């Protein structure tokens, strides 16, 4: 790496040991390089000077004015001391207010001199005032003009009079120092030319001190590309290394099980998306390399049948298969639906969970070893060491985000050659994110729901509407449908949340005396929980009051209403998962979001997204915009703590794709990055990721 990374910031003109310590502590800036790569997060336009007479409205941006101070008037005493100044530009007056440094401001600003003031005018007592404006003596040459970058600062820095301008001046001083000659562009000239990118030095100048909007945007584009390119390069390089090492079983033929089930067992035609995905999987299974595929599909899109057909291919080739589900309820449901399908072609299925008794466990162990059990369905119990296989060839993992990476790895060791792995998730992850986070997995998407599904009608309701909501639920029940009532439960608030749930249960029992009401929550013993769930699943109970334990996978097609209490406390993707529990049958289904009336605008937006859309991918994109990708479900569990400096996965999808393609092209030509240009890239890669987690090895 170029030695700007070794240049200690404390030797930069205008810094010194004290400020250096502050920069290191507050902004993690240690070297010249760190400073240059600390970009503004937004820009303000200082090219326009407004007339005070033109200021109107009550929600204004920051603006600048040119004029003179007319009066300075201190108010208040002690801690309440403040300074008011009247500022005139000849067209009108505006008030400036300071709460700090009253004395020094009063001493340094003069009446009669021309100043530029900058800040956000707020309506106040029939006029406008600006709190803590930026003030500069007006010189036609040095007045700030054009775009000015705004940097992230901390309170501590602000208290020490560190402003965006301070940082800008420091950057300018690096750019003027002889050290800058050591700056080397990590991107090759070929790449710059191909993507029409600004060279590094120009880009640094234009991102900190842009001459025009266009240059600023080109600089941003370059740094986004650079960041994403190295991210992808790192992922793909590691994946290539791993794939090269891992051969896989070849499932060459399609036999009686698959064909027999396809002809006699399928109760519905597959959707186009299901067929396409099965083709993608078949190509993997025949390739001679281990499959690591992520199957994404919105709730209800029909992933189970795809998994089942894949398992039949394994069996046709003489191998065994398993499905691992995150909860006992889900494993049991899979067992029920899959053993029914498997019976059509005489395939033997077992169920292994934490509550499987000793005798049944022994029988399963024996059956797996002698190969008489061809499919095993279960919870984590099936990765225990005592579970030995005759010839495990395929492992399906349902609802991926509940499983850690380490658990996936344990599955691999169940055979001398690691089995093929199909990971299914209903957490719709935006494509840009999955390409990056699951860069090591190939991704298939079922982007089509089975025909005849009606989108779930979603409504937002408040406490005052409660009777009307119950009335509606009653109507559905009378038509023979079932209902979920869901309560939030978070650990910090567990006691109160459980009380809410139990109070709710009481109310529901009283409101619907003629129906059977059951409840489940995560604190119940599995046996008890399963018994209650079973009552609901079989239709013996009509209302299920529950916490989010029902979020994943539960399939009761007759349930047509879901009421979500305190919906404002749920995240978007969680709401979407929950809502996916209804709308699984042919009837119109409903989701009612109950919320407090007083909620923040972000929360209102979130709930409105749910009302407006049933598309899991759209919702995931919105979620990512609201929360930032670091918080997305699935990214944390994947063990990747990553933060991007400038690129934004939610909005920079096209750049991600471009960077990914380019990284692949580079690695196809030079897999070990050994060419002279490859070495430059590799050095930078080591500089960037050498200290951090090695993403590619994570799964
Ligand atoms: P998920 O993707 O959420 O796991 P499931 O596999 O549980 O979805 O499927 C949801 C429901 O849709 C099941 O009842 C299943 O039988 C049904 N289904 C799946 N594929 C089709 C299809 N092509 N046509 C009609 N119904 C389908
Ligand atoms: Mg499922």
């Amino acid at each position: 790496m170029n030695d700007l990374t070794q240049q200690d910031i404390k030797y930069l003109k205008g810094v010194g040991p004290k400020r250096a310590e502050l920069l290191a502590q507050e902004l993690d800036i240690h070297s010249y390089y760190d400073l240059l790569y600390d970009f503004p997060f937004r820009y303000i336009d200082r090219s326009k000077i407004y007339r005070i007479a033109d200021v109107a409205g009550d929600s204004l941006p920051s603006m600048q004015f040119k004029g003179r101070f007319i009066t300075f008037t201190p108010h208040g005493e002690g801690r309440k001391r403040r300074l008011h100044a009247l500022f005139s530009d000849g067209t009108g007056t505006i008030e400036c207010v300071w709460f700090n440094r009253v004395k020094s401001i009063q001493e340094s600003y003069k009446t009669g001199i021309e100043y530029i003031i900058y800040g956000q005018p707020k309506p106040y007592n029939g006029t406008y005032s600006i709190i803590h404006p930026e003030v500069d003596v007006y010189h036609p040459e040095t007045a700030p003009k054009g775009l000015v970058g705004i940097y992230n600062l901390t309170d501590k820095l602000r208290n020490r009079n560190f402003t965006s301008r301070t940082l800008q001046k420091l950057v300018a001083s690096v750019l003027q120092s002889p050290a800058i000659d050591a700056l080397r562009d990590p991107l090759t000239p070929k790449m710059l030319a191909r993507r029409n990118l600004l060279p590094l030095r120009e880009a640094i100048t234009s991102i900190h001190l842009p001459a025009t909007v266009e240059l600023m945007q080109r600089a941003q584009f370059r740094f986004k590309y650079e960041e994403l390119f190295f991210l992808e390069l790192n992922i793909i390089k590691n994946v290539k290394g791993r794939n090269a090492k891992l051969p896989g079983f070849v499932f060459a033929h399609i036999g009686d099980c698959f064909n027999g089930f396809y002809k006699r067992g399928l109760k519905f035609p597959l959707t186009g998306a299901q067929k396409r995905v099965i083709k993608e999987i078949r190509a993997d299974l025949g390739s001679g390399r281990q499959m690591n595929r992520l199957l994404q599909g919105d709730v209800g899109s029909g992933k189970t049948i795809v998994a089942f057909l894949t398992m039949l291919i394994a069996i046709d080739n003489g191998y065994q298969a398993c499905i691992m589900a995150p909860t006992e309820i889900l494993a049991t449901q899979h067992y029920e639906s899959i053993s029914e399908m498997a019976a059509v072609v005489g395939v033997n299925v077992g169920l292994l969970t934490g509550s499987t008794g000793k005798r049944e466990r022994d029988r399963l162990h024996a059956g797996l070893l002698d190969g008489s059990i061809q499919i095993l369905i279960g919870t984590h119990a099936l990765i225990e060491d005592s579970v030995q296989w005759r010839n495990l060839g395929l492992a399906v993992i349902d609802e991926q985000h509940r499983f850690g990476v380490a658990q996936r790895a344990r599955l691999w060791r169940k055979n001398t050659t690691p089995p093929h792995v199909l990971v299914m998730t209903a957490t719709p992850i935006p494509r840009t994110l999955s390409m990056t986070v699951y860069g090591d997995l190939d991704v298939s998407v079922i982007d089509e729901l089975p025909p005849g599904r009606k989108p779930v009608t979603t409504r937002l309701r408040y406490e005052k509407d409660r009777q009307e909501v119950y009335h509606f639920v009653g109507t559905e029940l009378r038509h023979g449908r079932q209902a979920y009532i869901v309560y939030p439960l978070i650990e910090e608030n567990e006691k109160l949340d459980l009380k809410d749930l139990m109070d709710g249960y009481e109310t529901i029992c009283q409101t619907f005396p003629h129906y059977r009401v059951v409840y489940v929550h995560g604190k119940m013993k599995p046996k008890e929980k399963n018994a209650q769930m079973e009552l609901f699943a079989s239709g013996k109970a009509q209302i299920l009051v529950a916490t989010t334990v029902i979020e994943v996978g539960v399939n009761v097609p007759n349930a047509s209403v879901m009421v979500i209490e305190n919906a404002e406390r749920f995240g978007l993707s969680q709401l979407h998962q929950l809502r996916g529990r209804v709308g699984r049958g042919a009837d119109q289904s409903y989701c009612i979001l109950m919320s407090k009336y007083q909620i923040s605008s972000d929360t209102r937006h979130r709930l409105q997204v749910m009302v407006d859309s049933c598309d899991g991918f759209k919702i995931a994109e919105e979620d990512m915009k609201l929360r930032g990708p670091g918080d997305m479900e699935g990214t944390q569990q994947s063990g990747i703590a990553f933060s991007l400096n400038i690129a934004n996965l939610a909005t920079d999808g096209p750049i991600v794709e471009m960077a990914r393609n380019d990284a692949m092209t580079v690695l196809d030509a030079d897999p070990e990055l050994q060419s002279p240009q490859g070495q430059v890239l590799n050095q930078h890669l080591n500089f960037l990721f050498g200290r951090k987690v090695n993403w590619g090895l994570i799964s």
Side-chain angles (χ1 to χ4, degrees), residues 85 260 501 527 597 628 642:
L501 175 108
K527 211 169 192 171
Y597 193 70
F642 72 93

CSV table of all heavy atoms in Angstrom, one decimal, residues 85 260 501 527 597 628 642:
chain,number,residue,atom,x,y,z
A,85,ALA,N,-28.5,39.3,17.4
A,85,ALA,CA,-27.9,40.3,16.5
A,85,ALA,C,-28.9,40.5,15.3
A,85,ALA,O,-29.5,39.5,14.8
A,85,ALA,CB,-26.6,39.9,15.9
A,260,GLY,N,-41.6,-40.5,-11.2
A,260,GLY,CA,-42.8,-41.0,-10.7
A,260,GLY,C,-43.6,-39.9,-9.9
A,260,GLY,O,-44.8,-39.8,-10.1
A,501,LEU,N,-49.9,-10.2,26.5
A,501,LEU,CA,-50.4,-11.3,25.7
A,501,LEU,C,-51.5,-12.0,26.5
A,501,LEU,O,-52.6,-12.4,26.0
A,501,LEU,CB,-49.2,-12.3,25.5
A,501,LEU,CG,-49.6,-13.6,24.8
A,501,LEU,CD1,-49.2,-13.6,23.3
A,501,LEU,CD2,-49.1,-14.8,25.5
A,527,LYS,N,-43.5,-29.1,24.4
A,527,LYS,CA,-44.6,-30.1,24.4
A,527,LYS,C,-45.9,-29.4,24.4
A,527,LYS,O,-46.8,-29.6,23.6
A,527,LYS,CB,-44.5,-31.1,25.5
A,527,LYS,CG,-45.0,-32.4,25.2
A,527,LYS,CD,-44.6,-33.4,26.2
A,527,LYS,CE,-44.9,-34.8,25.7
A,527,LYS,NZ,-44.4,-35.8,26.7
A,597,TYR,N,-51.7,5.7,18.2
A,597,TYR,CA,-52.0,6.8,17.3
A,597,TYR,C,-50.8,7.7,17.1
A,597,TYR,O,-50.5,8.1,16.1
A,597,TYR,CB,-53.2,7.6,17.8
A,597,TYR,CG,-53.7,8.5,16.7
A,597,TYR,CD1,-54.3,7.9,15.6
A,597,TYR,CD2,-53.5,9.9,16.8
A,597,TYR,CE1,-54.8,8.8,14.5
A,597,TYR,CE2,-54.0,10.7,15.8
A,597,TYR,CZ,-54.6,10.1,14.6
A,597,TYR,OH,-55.0,10.9,13.6
A,628,GLY,N,-30.8,0.7,6.9
A,628,GLY,CA,-29.4,0.5,6.5
A,628,GLY,C,-29.2,-1.0,6.5
A,628,GLY,O,-29.7,-1.7,7.3
A,642,PHE,N,-20.1,-5.7,8.6
A,642,PHE,CA,-19.5,-4.8,7.7
A,642,PHE,C,-20.1,-3.5,7.6
A,642,PHE,O,-21.3,-3.3,7.9
A,642,PHE,CB,-19.4,-5.5,6.3
A,642,PHE,CG,-20.8,-5.5,5.6
A,642,PHE,CD1,-21.1,-4.4,4.7
A,642,PHE,CD2,-21.7,-6.5,5.8
A,642,PHE,CE1,-22.3,-4.5,4.1
A,642,PHE,CE2,-22.9,-6.5,5.2
A,642,PHE,CZ,-23.2,-5.5,4.3
